[in-house]
Amino acid sequence: MSLEIAEKQESGSVPRSRSPSPEGHDVLTLRSLVSSKDAGVIIGRAGKNVADLRDSTGVKAGVSKVIPGVHERVLTVSGSVESVAKAYAMIVDQLIAANAASPVVANAPSSPPSAIRLLISHNLMGSVIGKSGLKIKAIQDSSGARMVASKEMLPQSTERIVEVQGTSEAIGRAIEEIGRALLEDWERGQGTVYFHPGTGDERSGRRPGPPLGRRPNGDGPRGRASPSPHSPSSQPSNLRTQNISIPSDMVGCIIGRNGTKITEIRRLSGSKISIAKEPHDETGERMFTIIGTPEANEKALFLLYNQLESEKERRVGREQLQQEELQD
């Protein structure tokens, strides 16, 4: 019972993960995917472990709520880069100690390497991997950790997994370097659609399988997401609405000449996509509203972010070419 109380307290105090704001550019919020078993170790009896973690490092830390039937939860750690790295190293030590105390693991011929599965925005993966993989190789060489970056975004989100493997010290060093890279390009993380572990059959009608994410702005249909009363069978009943912000200077590349790009994304995904005519706040970003089934929206998000990444790579290449011409 004490563990359940502690979990409720922790989940309620976790700040929502997002890229740091310009005013708090030195604060890193780093999310990771953990098993429910590991989440219990991280929290500890009556929340003792996570309280000790906060006291030792000065970070804010907590774990997402338990969802029945779902065996993964999200750990969120927020603080300075050094504090977050130290906290994750301590968490790895806790997990290693807990596994060593387990008779099954203790009697095994060899224990698997410790690992942390970081959740990184698709838009920020370039900052971690670097051109031709040079950045991720440099992090691995200097930290002694091994890093494996997933190629696909997690369901219903624009986050990908970067698994960091090694000793607690190596993982801590790697996370510190990853954190610095993320803070340097924090703007790219804006508009991230966060992954939330959940059961697919409850939210999207899919067959049970790998955990699916919940829609960030709620679980039920909103506004135009509801079926038309005049044609109840003409639309799926599980429509969802998702909103993402896109920098104004990138909107043109998504729309394309005469709207060809956005028309293609709509056709391939099956989602309805509308674009605000004006920026929605002082950041100058414009809101994209995506309406469709969870599968269609997932495809639309994938296509939108792929288009953004292609445009960013094109612009970087153009800038490098201009610099080379100036040097000549």
Side-chain angles (χ1 to χ4, degrees), residues 50-73:
V50 77
D52 290 345
L53 184 75
R54 289 168 171 166
D55 292 341
S56 300
T57 63
V59 299
K60 294 180 180 178
V63 183
S64 61
K65 293 180 180 179
V66 174
I67 299 176
V70 178
H71 305 294
E72 290 179 315
R73 299 166 68 181

Short mmCIF file of all heavy atoms in Angstrom, two decimals, residues 50-73:
data_model
loop_
_atom_site.label_atom_id
_atom_site.label_comp_id
_atom_site.label_asym_id
_atom_site.label_seq_id
_atom_site.Cartn_x
_atom_site.Cartn_y
_atom_site.Cartn_z
N VAL A 50 13.51 7.35 -4.47
CA VAL A 50 13.42 8.56 -5.30
C VAL A 50 13.65 9.81 -4.45
O VAL A 50 14.20 10.81 -4.92
CB VAL A 50 12.07 8.62 -6.05
CG1 VAL A 50 10.93 9.04 -5.14
CG2 VAL A 50 12.16 9.55 -7.25
N ALA A 51 13.26 9.75 -3.17
CA ALA A 51 13.52 10.89 -2.27
C ALA A 51 15.02 11.05 -2.04
O ALA A 51 15.55 12.17 -2.06
CB ALA A 51 12.79 10.69 -0.95
N ASP A 52 15.71 9.93 -1.83
CA ASP A 52 17.17 9.98 -1.66
C ASP A 52 17.85 10.49 -2.93
O ASP A 52 18.84 11.23 -2.86
CB ASP A 52 17.71 8.57 -1.33
CG ASP A 52 17.30 8.11 0.06
OD1 ASP A 52 16.85 8.97 0.87
OD2 ASP A 52 17.41 6.90 0.34
N LEU A 53 17.32 10.08 -4.08
CA LEU A 53 17.87 10.53 -5.36
C LEU A 53 17.77 12.05 -5.48
O LEU A 53 18.73 12.72 -5.88
CB LEU A 53 17.10 9.85 -6.50
CG LEU A 53 17.60 10.13 -7.92
CD1 LEU A 53 18.87 9.36 -8.20
CD2 LEU A 53 16.52 9.75 -8.93
N ARG A 54 16.64 12.59 -5.10
CA ARG A 54 16.45 14.04 -5.18
C ARG A 54 17.40 14.77 -4.22
O ARG A 54 18.01 15.78 -4.57
CB ARG A 54 15.01 14.40 -4.82
CG ARG A 54 13.99 14.00 -5.87
CD ARG A 54 12.60 14.13 -5.28
NE ARG A 54 11.56 13.97 -6.28
CZ ARG A 54 10.29 13.78 -5.98
NH1 ARG A 54 9.93 13.69 -4.71
NH2 ARG A 54 9.39 13.66 -6.93
N ASP A 55 17.50 14.24 -3.00
CA ASP A 55 18.37 14.87 -2.01
C ASP A 55 19.84 14.84 -2.43
O ASP A 55 20.58 15.80 -2.21
CB ASP A 55 18.20 14.18 -0.65
CG ASP A 55 16.83 14.40 -0.03
OD1 ASP A 55 16.15 15.36 -0.47
OD2 ASP A 55 16.43 13.62 0.85
N SER A 56 20.25 13.74 -3.05
CA SER A 56 21.66 13.57 -3.42
C SER A 56 22.06 14.39 -4.64
O SER A 56 23.22 14.81 -4.77
CB SER A 56 21.97 12.09 -3.69
OG SER A 56 21.71 11.32 -2.55
N THR A 57 21.11 14.59 -5.56
CA THR A 57 21.47 15.24 -6.84
C THR A 57 20.81 16.59 -7.06
O THR A 57 21.26 17.36 -7.89
CB THR A 57 21.09 14.32 -8.01
OG1 THR A 57 19.66 14.14 -8.01
CG2 THR A 57 21.76 12.97 -7.88
N GLY A 58 19.72 16.85 -6.34
CA GLY A 58 19.01 18.12 -6.54
C GLY A 58 18.06 18.11 -7.73
O GLY A 58 17.53 19.15 -8.11
N VAL A 59 17.82 16.94 -8.33
CA VAL A 59 16.93 16.88 -9.48
C VAL A 59 15.48 16.75 -9.04
O VAL A 59 15.18 16.44 -7.89
CB VAL A 59 17.27 15.67 -10.39
CG1 VAL A 59 18.69 15.77 -10.92
CG2 VAL A 59 17.05 14.35 -9.65
N LYS A 60 14.57 16.99 -9.98
CA LYS A 60 13.17 16.63 -9.82
C LYS A 60 13.01 15.31 -10.56
O LYS A 60 13.47 15.18 -11.70
CB LYS A 60 12.26 17.69 -10.43
CG LYS A 60 12.31 19.03 -9.71
CD LYS A 60 11.38 20.03 -10.39
CE LYS A 60 11.42 21.37 -9.67
NZ LYS A 60 10.54 22.38 -10.35
N ALA A 61 12.40 14.34 -9.93
CA ALA A 61 12.28 13.02 -10.56
C ALA A 61 11.00 12.35 -10.16
O ALA A 61 10.49 12.54 -9.05
CB ALA A 61 13.48 12.14 -10.16
N GLY A 62 10.46 11.55 -11.06
CA GLY A 62 9.24 10.80 -10.77
C GLY A 62 8.93 9.84 -11.90
O GLY A 62 9.55 9.87 -12.96
N VAL A 63 7.95 8.99 -11.67
CA VAL A 63 7.56 7.97 -12.63
C VAL A 63 6.08 8.11 -12.93
O VAL A 63 5.28 8.44 -12.05
CB VAL A 63 7.85 6.56 -12.06
CG1 VAL A 63 7.52 5.48 -13.09
CG2 VAL A 63 9.30 6.43 -11.63
N SER A 64 5.71 7.89 -14.19
CA SER A 64 4.31 8.00 -14.60
C SER A 64 3.45 6.96 -13.88
O SER A 64 3.94 5.96 -13.36
CB SER A 64 4.18 7.84 -16.11
OG SER A 64 4.64 6.56 -16.52
N LYS A 65 2.14 7.20 -13.88
CA LYS A 65 1.21 6.33 -13.17
C LYS A 65 1.13 4.94 -13.80
O LYS A 65 1.42 4.75 -14.97
CB LYS A 65 -0.19 6.95 -13.18
CG LYS A 65 -0.30 8.24 -12.38
CD LYS A 65 -1.70 8.78 -12.44
CE LYS A 65 -1.84 10.08 -11.64
NZ LYS A 65 -3.21 10.62 -11.71
N VAL A 66 0.71 4.00 -12.99
CA VAL A 66 0.50 2.64 -13.48
C VAL A 66 -0.74 2.60 -14.35
O VAL A 66 -1.78 3.19 -14.01
CB VAL A 66 0.32 1.67 -12.29
CG1 VAL A 66 -0.05 0.28 -12.80
CG2 VAL A 66 1.59 1.60 -11.46
N ILE A 67 -0.64 1.93 -15.51
CA ILE A 67 -1.79 1.69 -16.37
C ILE A 67 -2.03 0.19 -16.39
O ILE A 67 -1.13 -0.58 -16.73
CB ILE A 67 -1.55 2.21 -17.80
CG1 ILE A 67 -1.30 3.72 -17.78
CG2 ILE A 67 -2.73 1.87 -18.70
CD1 ILE A 67 -0.95 4.30 -19.13
N PRO A 68 -3.22 -0.26 -16.00
CA PRO A 68 -3.49 -1.70 -15.95
C PRO A 68 -3.17 -2.38 -17.28
O PRO A 68 -3.56 -1.90 -18.34
CB PRO A 68 -4.99 -1.77 -15.63
CG PRO A 68 -5.27 -0.48 -14.92
CD PRO A 68 -4.38 0.54 -15.55
N GLY A 69 -2.45 -3.48 -17.19
CA GLY A 69 -2.12 -4.24 -18.39
C GLY A 69 -0.92 -3.73 -19.16
O GLY A 69 -0.52 -4.33 -20.15
N VAL A 70 -0.34 -2.62 -18.72
CA VAL A 70 0.82 -2.04 -19.41
C VAL A 70 2.04 -2.22 -18.52
O VAL A 70 2.01 -1.90 -17.33
CB VAL A 70 0.60 -0.54 -19.71
CG1 VAL A 70 1.82 0.06 -20.38
CG2 VAL A 70 -0.63 -0.37 -20.60
N HIS A 71 3.11 -2.73 -19.08
CA HIS A 71 4.28 -3.10 -18.28
C HIS A 71 5.44 -2.13 -18.43
O HIS A 71 6.57 -2.45 -18.07
CB HIS A 71 4.72 -4.51 -18.66
CG HIS A 71 3.63 -5.53 -18.52
ND1 HIS A 71 3.09 -5.87 -17.30
CD2 HIS A 71 2.96 -6.25 -19.45
CE1 HIS A 71 2.13 -6.77 -17.48
NE2 HIS A 71 2.03 -7.02 -18.77
N GLU A 72 5.18 -0.95 -18.97
CA GLU A 72 6.22 0.07 -19.09
C GLU A 72 5.70 1.39 -18.56
O GLU A 72 4.51 1.69 -18.65
CB GLU A 72 6.65 0.23 -20.56
CG GLU A 72 7.43 -0.96 -21.09
CD GLU A 72 7.83 -0.76 -22.54
OE1 GLU A 72 6.97 -0.31 -23.33
OE2 GLU A 72 8.98 -1.05 -22.91
N ARG A 73 6.62 2.17 -17.99
CA ARG A 73 6.28 3.50 -17.47
C ARG A 73 7.38 4.48 -17.88
O ARG A 73 8.46 4.07 -18.31
CB ARG A 73 6.13 3.43 -15.93
CG ARG A 73 5.01 2.49 -15.51
CD ARG A 73 5.06 2.13 -14.04
NE ARG A 73 4.77 3.28 -13.18
CZ ARG A 73 4.76 3.23 -11.86
NH1 ARG A 73 5.03 2.08 -11.24
NH2 ARG A 73 4.49 4.29 -11.14
#
